[in-house]
Amino acid sequence: AVLCGHGRVGSVLAGILRQRGIPFVVIDLDKKLVESLRARGERALYGDGGSPTLLDRAGVATARAVLITMPDAAASRVAVEHVRVANPDAAICVRVHREAEHALYANQPNTESVHGELELAYALAGRMLGAFGVSAVEAEAVVLDVRRGGGAS
């Protein structure tokens, strides 16, 4: 796997990859972080995860998955476009901050976007419904319906 960004979101993903024994390469703009990861024996490259050169050095051409957690929408878009060309079979999961970005990736093959604010709202909705006595199964069904566009706005 290639992990573009090792901040608040990327570090959680790295922990899960590590725990599952899935090899990965990190690309990050924080030089001290990259040096720290390398000192622990992990593969890490210093620079912008939207750089096609760094993506190639990280091995996107053979990566099974590319996780893009960078906050920069333009860099994320460049990364997705490059991975799509270099490795059409790679599963891409990209963090987005706006509905327009979410829509941009909606119909792209092997590409999923996660809109952090929406995911937070869905999680809070499930908990809120539980506080009103709605079962966990029904709350999940309600949230799924909203995700599909059939509910609240």
Side-chain angles (χ1 to χ4, degrees):
V2 175
L3 175 58
C4 300
H6 195 281
R8 294 181 311 231
V9 175
S11 61
V12 172
L13 295 174
I16 293 169
L17 291 168
R18 218 177 275 116
Q19 179 187 43
R20 302 297 301 174
I22 299 170
F24 64 97
V25 180
V26 171
I27 302 174
D28 200 275
L29 283 169
D30 183 334
K31 191 170 189 168
K32 288 184 180 182
L33 170 72
V34 169
E35 289 170 355
S36 171
L37 291 169
R38 288 178 181 164
R40 293 191 329 219
E42 297 191 20
R43 294 186 58 208
L45 301 173
Y46 169 69
D48 183 354
S51 162
T53 301
L54 278 179
L55 288 164
D56 288 342
R57 281 186 52 207
V60 295
T62 57
R64 201 161 163 189
V66 179
L67 307 160
I68 302 168
T69 68
M70 307 173 297
D72 182 339
S76 294
R77 194 167 34 258
V78 169
V80 169
E81 290 169 2
H82 182 71
V83 173
R84 210 33 62 240
V85 171
N87 184 354
D89 295 325
I92 300 173
C93 191
V94 58
R95 170 190 184 188
V96 299
H97 298 278
R98 293 181 174 75
E99 189 57 39
E101 296 167 48
H102 193 54
L104 176 70
Y105 300 116
N107 296 314
Q108 292 193 16
N110 298 332
T111 304
E112 294 204 28
S113 63
V114 177
H115 188 306
E117 294 294 317
L118 282 178
E119 293 302 320
L120 175 61
Y122 298 149
L124 289 170
R127 287 167 177 81
M128 172 196 66
L129 292 170
F132 285 98
V134 176
S135 74
V137 171
E138 187 177 354
E140 188 174 324
V142 169
V143 169
L144 184 58
D145 186 48
V146 172
R147 280 181 189 274
R148 292 180 178 154
S153 57

